[in-house]
Amino acid sequence: MKTKTKIIMASSVGVLTLGLLGFTNSLTSESKRETLDLDNKHSTSLPIDEKNTKHQKKNEIVKTPDLTKKSTSFDVKPTPKGKLNTYFKKHSVDNVLKNVNAVKNPKLPLDVDKVLEKKWDVDIGNMSYRSNYELVGNYLYVGSNGDHFRDWRHVDKKSGVYKINTKNGKISSKFCDANLGDMDVNGLLYHNGNLFFGNDNDEFISTDLNGKINWRIPVSGDVEHKPTLIKNKENNFIVFATETGEVRAVDPKTGNTVWQHRDRAFSGWKEGDNRYVFKLQAHFTDGELFFHEPGLGDFNRDGVMDVLYGGTDIKAINGVNGKVLWKIPAEFNDVANKVKYEVNMIKATPLVVGKGKNTKVLTYAKEITNTDSEENESKNNKGKILVFNYKGKLINRIPYSFEFNNGTWGKTSVYNYKINDVEAAFVSNNTIYIYNAENNTVSIIKQFNKFSKDNWGYLNEEYYGTVEIAPFKIKTNVGACRLVKWEFGPNTSKDEWNRQSIVKLFKVDDNSEVLTLRLPSGEEGPLLIKDIDRDGKKELLVECNGKLICYDLTSLKI
C-alpha cells in the first residue's frame, strides 16, 4: 500500500471491527496554478566547485572525488559517444521504436494509445511502485492492491495475485484474495516452481503456480516489497521484511524461520503476543520501516549474499545467520572532514552496486547545520551522495547540487533508486544523478521540469511522484537511449487529480530528449519491456486506471 495515514474514526465495536481490514485514505488538496516563466532546458552540468555554477555543458560525465583530498572538485570528461560499458553490452533492448527519429518535437507528450498498438488490456486493480512482474512460461503473475490501497472499510474484490495469459491478456486464475482482511499484494518472487509473497494482512505465503497454498504464516506486520532469495549452498532462504521493523529468513519448503532480526524501533507482533489485539492496534498506527527490497552484496566475503536494509540505521545483515555485520548510524560523522550528516532511511533502502570487492553502498545524506528557519535550511542545505565500500567504510562523497526552488513542497527531498547492478539514481524535483560503479562516474540529467505557483505562493512541479529508470539501454535509430518514467506529468485537463504518467527517452551520449509518451493515467506501478508473448517482438507492459495494458513497442505510428 502507499504511505499510510491511519485515523481513529470512532469507538463503536462495528467500526473497530472494520478497522481490522485496513486503513483510511488521507487526501490533500491543491489550488489553481499559474504558470511561471521558467526554462525547461535539459543539461548534464555539475558545478566543479560548490560555489561555482559556470559549467553548463550538455555532454558531461563527472568523476567521483577522492575523499582523502578533502576537495569537492571533479574532473569532467565527455561521454564516450556511441559506446556502452560492459554491463550494457549484455543488457540492452533493440528492435523497438524503429521510427523514433521521425519525432519532430521530443518534448511534446504523445498519447501512447495514438502512437503504439494496443495488444490487450485486463482489469486487475492497482499496482504499487514496489510491485513486479514474474513471467513463467506463457503466464504472467502480478500482485494487486485492488481498487483501494487501504481496505479498512471496503470489501476489495480485486486484491490478490493474478495469473494472466500473455497471449491474450485473459485471467487464468486469481488467488489469495479472501473477502475479509487487507489482501493487497505487492512484490512476488518465483523460485523452484512456487511463488512467495507477503500481503497487507500481516501474512507471508507460498503457493504453487495455480494458487494452491503450500504454507501460510502470520508475521509481525505488512510485507511491502518483493521477497529476496539467498542461495546458501544446498540450503536456500527466502528473506522478507515487515513495515514494523522485522527482517526474517524462512525455509522455502516449510516456512519455518531460519533467522530473525528486529530493528531497534520494532513495533510489530511477536510470537506469544495476542494476535487480535495486535491486528486492531496495527491498523490504527503507521509502520515506516523496511518498505523496499534490500540491497544485496557479499559484505563479509563468505560466498553468500548478505542483505542491506535502511531503518533507524543502515545495517548490513549476514545472509546466513541474521547477525548485523556493520551499520551506518542515522547521524553519521565524517571524521576526516569534520562534518556530520543526517542519513534518513525511513521507508527507503540504501543502494548496492558493483560486485565483489568493488561493491559500493550509496545513500543520500544532508549535512547537519545550525538553522533557525525553513528558509535558512533551504539556503544552507548541503546534500551529498555518500559512497561506502563493502565493509561499510566511507570512501567518497559526491556533492549533490540541485535547485531547491524556494517554496516548493518537499524542496529538499532526494529519492534514491537502484537501476541495475552497476547504476544507482538519485532524483530531486529537477535533477537526476546517475552513478556508475563500473567506471566510477556520475551522469546528470538536469532542468527537465517546469514549475507553477499556487495561490499560497508555493511552487509545484509538472513532473513528480515515483520515478522509474529502466535497467537497460534501448537501442534506437538515433542511438542508445535511457528510459525514465514519472508517476505524474503535466496537467492536461481542469481536473488537478487527473494527471497522467510520462515516459521519456534520453540519449545516452548527451542526455538530450528523444521522445515523450503520455500514459492513460497517473500510476506508480512498474513498467516492463520484454517479448512476453514470444512472438519475436518487444512489448511494453504498464498498469493504468487499474488495468494492465500490453502495447506493441516495435514502432511508433507517426
Side-chain angles (χ1 to χ4, degrees):
M1 68 184 63
K2 293 183 178 178
T3 303
K4 306 165 189 170
T5 302
K6 294 144 187 180
I7 304 172
I8 298 179
M9 304 297 294
S11 58
S12 68
V13 175
V15 172
L16 291 178
T17 303
L18 287 173
L20 294 175
L21 303 182
F23 301 87
T24 60
N25 291 312
S26 84
L27 301 177
T28 58
S29 61
E30 293 185 67
S31 64
K32 294 181 180 178
R33 301 179 173 190
E34 63 176 1
T35 303
L36 291 185
D37 223 355
L38 296 180
D39 260 30
N40 188 28
K41 297 177 181 178
H42 91 277
S43 169
T44 54
S45 63
L46 182 76
I48 297 298
D49 184 83
E50 288 182 333
K51 296 180 181 179
N52 185 355
T53 58
K54 293 181 180 179
H55 298 266
Q56 297 292 331
K57 297 179 182 179
K58 278 188 178 182
N59 180 21
E60 291 183 351
I61 286 291
V62 184
K63 271 196 171 183
T64 56
D66 185 347
L67 178 66
T68 60
K69 296 180 180 179
K70 284 186 70 175
S71 171
T72 57
S73 64
F74 295 97
D75 295 324
V76 179
K77 293 186 177 181
T79 308
K81 288 194 174 183
K83 294 183 179 180
L84 296 177
N85 59 30
T86 304
Y87 178 88
F88 292 113
K89 288 179 180 179
K90 299 179 181 178
H91 300 82
S92 59
V93 172
D94 54 12
N95 296 321
V96 295
L97 303 173
K98 291 181 179 178
N99 57 338
V100 70
N101 59 320
V103 176
K104 295 180 179 180
N105 184 357
K107 295 180 182 292
L108 180 66
L110 303 175
D111 287 333
V112 67
D113 284 320
K114 294 181 180 180
V115 296
L116 293 180
E117 178 186 350
K118 183 192 293 185
K119 303 187 79 168
W120 51 258
D121 62 47
V122 58
D123 193 354
I124 65 165
N126 296 295
M127 298 176 72
S128 79
Y129 67 92
R130 301 173 306 284
S131 302
N132 68 300
Y133 303 100
E134 287 288 4
L135 185 61
V136 185
N138 294 324
Y139 293 95
L140 187 73
Y141 295 86
V142 296
S144 173
N145 283 253
D147 283 331
H148 314 283
F149 280 99
R150 304 167 182 88
D151 297 337
W152 83 271
R153 58 180 178 179
H154 302 283
V155 176
D156 196 337
K157 296 182 179 180
K158 292 183 181 178
S159 298
V161 178
Y162 288 79
K163 178 181 179 180
I164 300 167
N165 188 312
T166 59
K167 301 287 186 180
N168 52 31
K170 292 184 178 180
I171 297 172
S172 174
S173 62
K174 177 174 174 284
F175 46 91
C176 292
D177 52 355
N179 289 330
L180 292 178
D182 190 346
M183 310 308 292
D184 293 351
V185 176
N186 290 299
L188 303 170
L189 172 68
Y190 170 74
H191 169 61
N192 199 25
N194 296 299
L195 295 173
F196 300 87
F197 54 92
N199 61 23
D200 287 348
N201 202 41
D202 315 309
E203 300 172 311
F204 193 75
I205 302 168
S206 169
T207 73
D208 68 13
L209 293 179
N210 294 313
K212 180 182 177 182
I213 294 177
N214 300 318
W215 47 261
R216 187 175 201 156
I217 58 174
V219 296
S220 61
D222 295 355
V223 179
E224 296 289 351
H225 63 261
K226 175 184 175 181
T228 301
L229 175 66
I230 299 294
K231 296 181 179 180
N232 182 21
K233 298 180 181 178
E234 295 84 14
N235 299 316
N236 294 329
F237 305 149
I238 305 295
V239 175
F240 64 92
T242 66
E243 66 173 12
T244 56
E246 178 192 11
V247 183
R248 186 188 298 196
V250 297
D251 184 324
K253 295 179 180 178
T254 64
N256 293 337
T257 298
V258 178
W259 55 255
Q260 286 174 293
H261 167 81
R262 294 191 178 108
D263 191 89
R264 57 189 171 89
F266 174 78
S267 60
W269 174 80
K270 299 189 296 291
E271 293 81 355
D273 290 351
N274 188 306
R275 186 74 177 170
Y276 295 101
V277 172
F278 157 73
K279 294 284 285 183
L280 178 60
Q281 293 174 340
H283 293 304
F284 291 120
T285 56
D286 190 6
E288 293 190 330
L289 299 169
F290 305 155
F291 257 57
H292 300 77
E293 287 182 63
L296 288 175
D298 186 4
F299 302 119
N300 60 354
R301 315 298 298 144
D302 65 352
V304 179
M305 283 295 180
D306 308 303
V307 294
L308 189 78
Y309 275 99
T312 50
D313 304 301
I314 296 173
K315 52 181 73 69
I317 301 173
N318 190 313
V320 175
N321 56 32
K323 294 182 179 179
V324 175
L325 297 170
W326 48 260
K327 64 181 180 180
I328 301 166
E331 288 192 1
F332 175 77
N333 277 315
D334 180 357
V335 178
N337 291 277
K338 299 180 180 179
V339 176
K340 181 179 286 187
Y341 293 103
E342 177 186 356
V343 183
N344 185 356
M345 297 310 300
I346 298 298
K347 288 190 175 176
T349 291
L351 307 175
V352 181
V353 291
K355 293 183 178 180
K357 292 185 178 180
N358 192 41
T359 300
K360 294 182 175 68
V361 175
L362 295 91
T363 183
Y364 175 76
K366 188 166 60 174
E367 186 174 323
I368 297 176
T369 57
N370 295 321
T371 59
D372 55 7
S373 70
E374 185 178 2
E375 182 178 358
N376 285 337
E377 181 183 0
S378 175
K379 292 179 179 178
N380 296 332
N381 180 75
K382 295 181 180 179
K384 296 287 190 298
I385 299 172
L386 300 183
V387 184
F388 300 83
N389 66 11
Y390 70 96
K391 296 180 180 179
K393 180 181 178 181
L394 180 65
I395 55 174
N396 272 330
R397 53 189 182 91
I398 306 170
Y400 190 106
S401 175
F402 63 96
E403 302 169 13
F404 289 118
N405 300 298
N406 189 30
T408 304
W409 291 108
K411 59 184 175 295
T412 60
S413 296
V414 176
Y415 301 95
N416 58 342
Y417 302 93
K418 180 171 180 177
I419 303 175
N420 48 54
D421 288 342
V422 299
E423 286 188 322
F426 294 82
V427 182
S428 68
N429 60 7
N430 208 18
T431 310
I432 300 176
Y433 277 35
I434 300 174
Y435 175 83
N436 187 304
E438 192 171 276
N439 53 29
N440 202 39
T441 57
V442 175
S443 178
I444 306 165
I445 300 173
K446 190 176 181 182
Q447 294 179 343
F448 49 78
N449 221 332
K450 281 186 177 180
F451 299 87
S452 57
K453 191 176 183 180
D454 64 23
N455 293 336
W456 290 281
Y458 287 97
L459 295 177
N460 297 284
E461 308 98 307
E462 275 196 347
Y463 298 94
Y464 68 98
T466 303
V467 175
E468 181 179 2
I469 303 176
F472 42 75
K473 296 296 189 294
I474 297 176
K475 293 182 180 179
T476 70
N477 55 14
V478 298
C481 294
R482 185 188 299 279
L483 183 148
V484 183
K485 170 182 172 285
W486 281 269
E487 182 180 357
F488 298 111
N491 189 10
T492 57
S493 69
K494 295 182 180 180
D495 182 5
E496 182 57 37
W497 297 103
N498 190 31
R499 300 183 68 145
Q500 296 154 286
S501 296
I502 290 290
V503 174
K504 282 182 177 286
L505 282 188
F506 296 90
K507 284 187 69 175
V508 172
D509 283 349
D510 60 6
N511 284 340
S512 60
E513 295 183 34
V514 174
L515 172 69
T516 302
L517 294 176
R518 181 188 291 118
L519 300 185
S521 66
E523 303 293 346
E524 65 180 57
L527 55 79
L528 177 68
I529 297 177
K530 197 176 183 69
D531 180 11
I532 65 170
D533 57 6
R534 300 184 180 183
D535 64 350
K537 300 177 182 179
K538 300 294 191 304
E539 285 82 37
L540 169 66
L541 201 64
V542 295
E543 180 265 310
C544 294
N545 288 320
K547 292 184 177 181
L548 195 59
I549 309 175
C550 180
Y551 295 99
D552 185 340
L553 200 60
T554 305
S555 62
L556 293 168
K557 295 185 291 185
I558 297 179

